[in-house]
Amino acid sequence: MGIHSKTAIDSIKRSPFQAISAIFVLTLTFFVATTVAILVYASNQSLNYFETRPQIISFLKNDATQEAVFALQNKLSQDLRIKDVKYVPKEEALEIYKKATEDNPLLSELVSPSIFPASLEFSVTDLDLAEAVISEVKSEAVVEEVGFTANIGGEQSLGDVVGRLKAFSSYLRIGGIVFVGALAVTSFFVLLVIVSMRMTTRKGEIEILSLIGATPAFVRSPIVIEGLIYATVGVVTGWALSLILWLYVSAPILNYFGQVPILPRDPFYFFMLFLIILGIELMVGLVIALTGSLIAVKRSLKKI
């Protein structure tokens, strides 16, 4: 392996521009792949946030007993479609109202806790389940009325936002796969051409090796290692450039989106996300390099 690696590195030094071309194409491919992967992750995170964010508020009847309320609360807590069930008594409802109207204290002075009904607040794990859950909760004996709220507007506007996010996420996935796939195919053919050119320039050397009894594995090993070097350098460089880009833009993006967890705020999880992407890209890059090199070597050896 040592001799083959040295031969591969010497070959790269003899034709640096071919090596730069191969590495540049692979760098571009995996820079775009990393960037698209993060964009897909961010779109999924924002979609999941908006789908599960809206609160369903079931206002309870004034004559509802504590036992009946707690029974309903337990029932909702055990429903797999529902999460974050919270009981809001009249006094807490008044505090929420005061906080919402703190700019106009007169509004809160004119009301008392008795006019605010107690309520059970919860959200659903999937927005598509909201309609069925609301219908079921409305039929409960202790429930007076059911409301549906969201930070981004009412029920209709929420559906519009989620619909647009789903469409955007789908377009991003499809467009990203097509674009990255085209770049990956381009990288594959560039490697194929460069390795074939290497084999042509080493035709005399390969003929001598064959005459003295060198095995096909001995002949092709330096070429395959050279392809793997291109892939490794290209993947790591493209990934690193994308990481630098996201490190630069992540702070303003997180500030802009506020509570929406579009990217990991914890540096550990942020770098773990990129390391996972790097691991996947290294495997893909090495498969491309290995396949391209072996095909080129096989085709070239047949002609020699």
Side-chain angles (χ1 to χ4, degrees):
M1 182 61 74
I3 296 175
H4 297 320
S5 299
K6 185 176 181 304
T7 305
I9 293 171
D10 290 341
S11 178
I12 292 172
K13 289 179 180 177
R14 283 198 296 270
S15 302
F17 294 112
Q18 291 179 2
I20 291 172
S21 300
I23 291 172
F24 179 79
V25 172
L26 286 162
T27 298
L28 178 63
T29 298
F30 288 98
F31 170 78
V32 174
T34 306
T35 305
V36 170
I38 296 298
L39 287 174
V40 170
Y41 171 85
S43 67
N44 285 339
Q45 288 294 102
S46 58
L47 182 60
N48 182 61
Y49 174 84
F50 285 118
E51 279 191 330
T52 58
R53 188 62 179 170
Q55 291 287 308
I56 298 173
I57 304 177
S58 57
F59 298 103
L60 305 172
K61 293 179 179 177
N62 287 328
D63 58 354
T65 63
Q66 287 294 320
E67 291 76 13
V69 173
F70 290 147
L72 177 58
Q73 186 176 4
N74 288 332
K75 181 181 177 182
L76 296 177
S77 299
Q78 294 173 5
D79 194 325
L80 297 178
R81 301 169 299 172
I82 295 173
K83 66 175 187 176
D84 302 330
V85 181
K86 179 186 177 184
Y87 173 65
V88 180
K90 293 175 179 288
E91 294 76 13
E92 187 175 341
L94 176 61
E95 292 301 320
I96 295 172
Y97 176 77
K98 286 181 177 179
K99 188 175 180 180
T101 59
E102 59 185 1
D103 293 337
N104 192 349
L106 285 175
L107 291 176
S108 58
E109 292 176 1
L110 298 175
V111 299
S112 68
S114 62
I115 69 170
F116 291 97
S119 61
L120 286 172
E121 297 182 3
F122 53 91
S123 56
V124 289
T125 56
D126 190 324
L127 187 63
D128 294 336
L129 303 171
E131 185 176 355
V133 170
I134 290 174
S135 178
E136 292 176 19
V137 173
K138 279 182 178 177
S139 64
E140 295 289 339
V142 297
V143 174
E144 180 72 37
E145 187 179 355
V146 178
F148 187 75
T149 64
N151 288 343
I152 55 176
E155 183 175 357
Q156 186 175 359
S157 63
L158 175 69
D160 292 341
V161 170
V162 172
R164 286 197 293 271
L165 277 172
K166 284 183 175 177
F168 172 75
S169 183
S170 298
Y171 294 146
L172 185 62
R173 283 197 193 95
I174 296 171
I177 289 172
V178 171
F179 191 48
V180 173
L183 286 174
V185 172
T186 303
S187 302
F188 174 80
F189 282 110
V190 167
L191 277 175
L192 203 65
V193 170
I194 289 177
V195 171
S196 297
M197 292 172 66
R198 292 279 201 242
M199 293 294 291
T200 302
T201 56
R202 294 182 59 197
K203 182 178 178 181
E205 178 186 346
I206 292 171
E207 286 176 345
I208 294 172
L209 288 172
S210 300
L211 289 174
I212 63 176
T215 62
F218 186 88
V219 174
R220 66 172 174 256
S221 291
I223 302 296
V224 173
I225 291 174
E226 189 176 335
L228 296 179
I229 292 173
Y230 293 154
T232 304
V233 175
V235 168
V236 174
T237 306
W239 172 85
L241 290 175
S242 183
L243 173 62
I244 293 170
L245 172 68
W246 282 103
L247 285 174
Y248 182 74
V249 302
S250 60
I253 287 177
L254 289 174
N255 289 333
Y256 179 80
F257 283 95
Q259 296 180 344
V260 182
I262 192 167
L263 289 173
R265 292 182 178 275
D266 189 324
F268 174 78
Y269 292 108
F270 182 85
F271 285 105
M272 279 300 296
L273 174 63
F274 272 89
L275 286 175
I276 291 171
I277 293 173
L278 175 62
I280 296 172
E281 289 183 344
L282 277 174
M283 287 192 290
V284 174
L286 293 179
V287 168
I288 290 175
L290 192 61
T291 307
S293 301
L294 289 176
I295 291 175
V297 170
K298 187 176 180 180
R299 286 172 54 85
S300 300
L301 287 177
K302 286 181 178 177
K303 298 177 182 177
I304 295 175

